[in-house]
Amino acid sequence: MDSSQIETGAPLSIEIAQIASPSTTLSPTSTFSPRISKDGIRRSLRASTVDGVFAAVFSIGTGGILLGNFLVGLDASPVVFGMVSSIPMLVNLFQPMGAYLSERSTSRFQYSLRTHGIGRLLWLILVIGIISFSWGGLNSNQLVILSLLILVCSHFLGGLGAASWLSWIAMLVPRQLRGRYFGLRNSLANLTELVGLPIAGLAVSHWYGGPIQGYGVILLLGIIFGIVSLGCQYFQVDINPQLENTYYANSSQTSEIQSDSASNEPSEISEPISLPQMPTPQNQIDSSIWKNSNFLVFLLYFGLWTFAVNLSAPFFNLYLLDTLNLDVSWVTFYNSLRAGAHMLMLIVWGRLADKIGNRPILIFNGILIAVIPWLWLKMGSSPLDLWLWLPLLHIFIGANWGGVDLCNNNLQIEIAPVKNQSIYFATAAAVAGASGALGATIGGFIAQFAGSFGIAEVFIVSGVLRLASLVPLIVKKDLGS
């Protein structure tokens, strides 16, 4: 981007040491039970947190500023940058198909291995392509095309598995801790980015064989960490989607996750914790997606928001690398400041979301984020800009995006019914993917064919549309309540 609640009765801390206590390692099961032991929850949350940290390293190598710098080194056009941003969103159109397939699988873990595992291994082809380029076997245009092909295939497979993963983790994270847990998990992932991104940027910039070869080395390391992150999912309590859906289809009561331990044992999750509520005649909004008014309002907001954001977002790093001609190590430093602010504020936004809900935070942060494209219009290459305003801008971006990312995720978990939940997540991702890809593509063509004035127009329009996209949230006051 410019850089994927409910009140509780008492404060609930979810420091890693408190969530994850030593337990016997268990292999994934293929059964669904309405009750999951406290140790199972702790083990799952700890494994998912470590998964997020290792996945962050994979993301550093396969996207963001390092991939952008790699393409700049290959003289890629602005249209290519628009495609790089739009492809991960466009393939989300296949998420409903992935959700359909996942609901017919018998293991969330095995399905994740087949989708995300193969998708991450595909990046090894780009490593081979970089080696061939260094030896003169491929030219720059061919390597750009290969990069785009790998990006399409990898994100296509990731899109097939994304809804299944979100449905899996939504069942494992207690509802009362959702905001704080995802805030903590995401903040640790951002801490990894904060530390790893500048190190990777320096390595690429100063690699003796040149930045292209340097990126190949970082990419290889990222792939290794990405596979390790999938291995962490082995220690999460597995869920059989077919049995899960059968249970909720036949159950007339909300199930509970209840500890097998004594209720008076000191623990953050020692009391019974409700799973996301089963729709009942009193609180059910029709299970059909197209009759679910809350979900349709969320889709409208989410689609407009992603279009407006991605109209300008792909070109901020391009502006720094190409227009201002900054070294990649400086740009990674700026992005690390953004990641640091993102990390620190995620925990704050998570706790606040548990207290006041997701919708107010989305409106507040959305208004602040709407002005970001206009602020970019004031950035230049003067020492004051490089040493003061650009760092402050990235800190401002990171701090506010933390609340939006967290609360968008929490809100769709909250309003989607449990039965066939991944179908709802996939539909939201498909709508956002199509609108985001359309925005990035339109922005790319305008930026390339209209010159610098075209980029300025894109930034201005993007800010206006970001504000307009918040109207559904403002009007629908009971969304997520």
Side-chain angles (χ1 to χ4, degrees):
M1 294 191 177
D2 291 0
S3 52
S4 131
Q5 297 286 358
I6 302 297
E7 292 186 1
T8 56
L12 295 171
S13 172
I14 59 165
E15 299 297 329
I16 287 294
Q18 295 172 313
I19 292 178
S21 61
S23 60
T24 304
T25 299
L26 300 177
S27 60
T29 63
S30 295
T31 60
F32 176 77
S33 169
R35 297 176 184 271
I36 302 175
S37 70
K38 182 172 62 178
D39 286 342
I41 296 173
R42 286 172 166 169
R43 185 179 68 252
S44 298
L45 297 189
R46 181 178 185 177
S48 180
T49 301
V50 178
D51 170 23
V53 170
F54 283 118
V57 179
F58 172 76
S59 297
I60 289 174
T62 58
I65 184 60
L66 294 185
L67 179 60
N69 183 71
F70 170 70
L71 294 173
V72 167
L74 297 175
D75 296 322
S77 68
V79 169
V80 171
F81 278 85
M83 292 176 66
V84 168
S85 295
S86 63
I87 285 172
M89 294 176 289
L90 191 60
V91 297
N92 284 334
L93 289 171
F94 295 95
Q95 279 209 31
M97 180 175 71
Y100 177 86
L101 295 174
S102 73
E103 295 304 317
R104 280 149 184 76
S105 69
T106 57
S107 168
R108 295 288 188 197
F109 173 69
Q110 294 294 333
Y111 187 80
S112 179
L113 285 183
R114 290 194 296 268
T115 54
H116 292 103
I118 297 174
R120 293 179 182 184
L121 287 174
L122 285 176
W123 285 94
L124 288 172
I125 298 176
L126 183 56
V127 174
I128 297 173
I130 292 173
I131 295 174
S132 178
F133 174 80
S134 301
W135 292 347
L138 293 176
N139 59 40
S140 60
N141 288 332
Q142 291 171 332
L143 192 56
V144 168
I145 294 173
L146 178 63
S147 301
L148 293 177
L149 290 175
I150 298 299
L151 199 68
V152 169
C153 295
S154 175
H155 283 279
F156 169 74
L157 290 168
L160 291 181
S164 177
W165 177 87
L166 185 56
S167 182
W168 184 13
I169 202 68
M171 294 300 298
L172 296 177
V173 179
R175 188 167 181 258
Q176 294 92 331
L177 298 177
R178 189 175 293 151
R180 274 162 281 183
Y181 174 72
F182 282 117
L184 178 62
R185 184 184 190 273
N186 294 346
S187 67
L188 290 176
N190 277 272
L191 176 61
T192 303
E193 183 180 352
L194 175 66
V195 175
L197 187 57
I199 295 175
L202 286 172
V204 170
S205 181
H206 296 87
W207 189 259
Y208 69 92
I212 302 280
Q213 288 186 12
Y215 175 72
V217 174
I218 296 299
L219 177 60
L220 179 60
L221 291 175
I223 295 169
I224 295 173
F225 277 91
I227 298 302
V228 172
S229 81
L230 292 178
C232 295
Q233 297 179 8
Y234 177 86
F235 300 99
Q236 296 175 197
V237 175
D238 200 4
I239 291 177
N240 184 328
Q242 294 188 29
L243 296 180
E244 173 192 351
N245 291 329
T246 300
Y247 172 81
Y248 281 111
N250 297 330
S251 175
S252 60
Q253 297 179 351
T254 301
S255 63
E256 293 180 342
I257 301 174
Q258 189 170 19
S259 170
D260 291 336
S261 304
S263 61
N264 60 355
E265 177 185 348
S267 171
E268 300 305 323
I269 51 176
S270 60
E271 297 299 323
I273 298 175
S274 297
L275 286 171
Q277 286 191 350
M278 195 34 208
T280 66
Q282 290 75 27
N283 65 14
Q284 178 183 13
I285 298 175
D286 196 298
S287 59
S288 171
I289 290 179
W290 308 116
K291 295 180 181 179
N292 188 325
S293 61
N294 272 358
F295 189 73
L296 291 179
V297 171
F298 177 79
L299 287 183
L300 176 62
Y301 149 72
F302 205 32
L304 293 174
W305 175 258
T306 51
F307 176 86
V309 165
N310 288 283
L311 191 68
S312 59
F315 311 106
F316 297 140
N317 283 330
L318 176 62
Y319 176 78
L320 295 174
L321 291 167
D322 192 27
T323 304
L324 299 185
N325 197 29
L326 297 183
D327 185 81
V328 66
S329 60
W330 281 103
V331 182
T332 54
F333 169 70
Y334 292 146
N335 280 266
S336 293
L337 291 177
R338 174 191 52 77
H342 194 275
M343 174 195 68
L344 293 175
M345 289 302 296
L346 269 173
I347 297 178
V348 176
W349 295 127
R351 292 181 179 275
L352 194 59
D354 286 335
K355 293 180 179 180
I356 68 173
N358 299 290
R359 176 179 160 273
I361 296 176
L362 287 174
I363 294 174
F364 174 75
N365 284 334
I367 293 173
L368 295 179
I369 289 175
V371 306
I372 288 174
W374 302 337
L375 295 178
W376 275 96
L377 294 174
K378 300 296 183 180
M379 296 297 112
S381 57
S382 69
L384 185 62
D385 289 322
L386 297 178
W387 290 96
L388 178 62
W389 296 123
L390 278 171
L392 288 178
L393 177 60
H394 281 81
I395 292 173
F396 178 78
I397 291 170
N400 288 287
W401 265 117
V404 171
D405 288 341
L406 179 69
C407 292
N408 273 335
N409 181 70
N410 287 349
L411 186 59
Q412 67 172 313
I413 290 176
E414 186 175 336
I415 65 179
V418 175
K419 186 175 183 292
N420 292 321
Q421 195 175 49
S422 64
I423 303 294
Y424 283 76
F425 297 153
T427 302
V431 170
S435 58
L438 181 63
T441 302
I442 291 175
F445 278 104
I446 294 176
Q448 178 165 343
F449 298 112
S452 59
F453 182 69
I455 292 180
E457 284 185 329
V458 167
F459 285 5
I460 293 172
V461 174
S462 177
V464 173
L465 293 180
R466 291 180 189 199
L467 288 173
S469 69
L470 300 175
V471 172
L473 289 180
I474 297 172
V475 173
K476 186 69 171 177
K477 296 183 179 180
D478 61 341
L479 185 65
S481 59

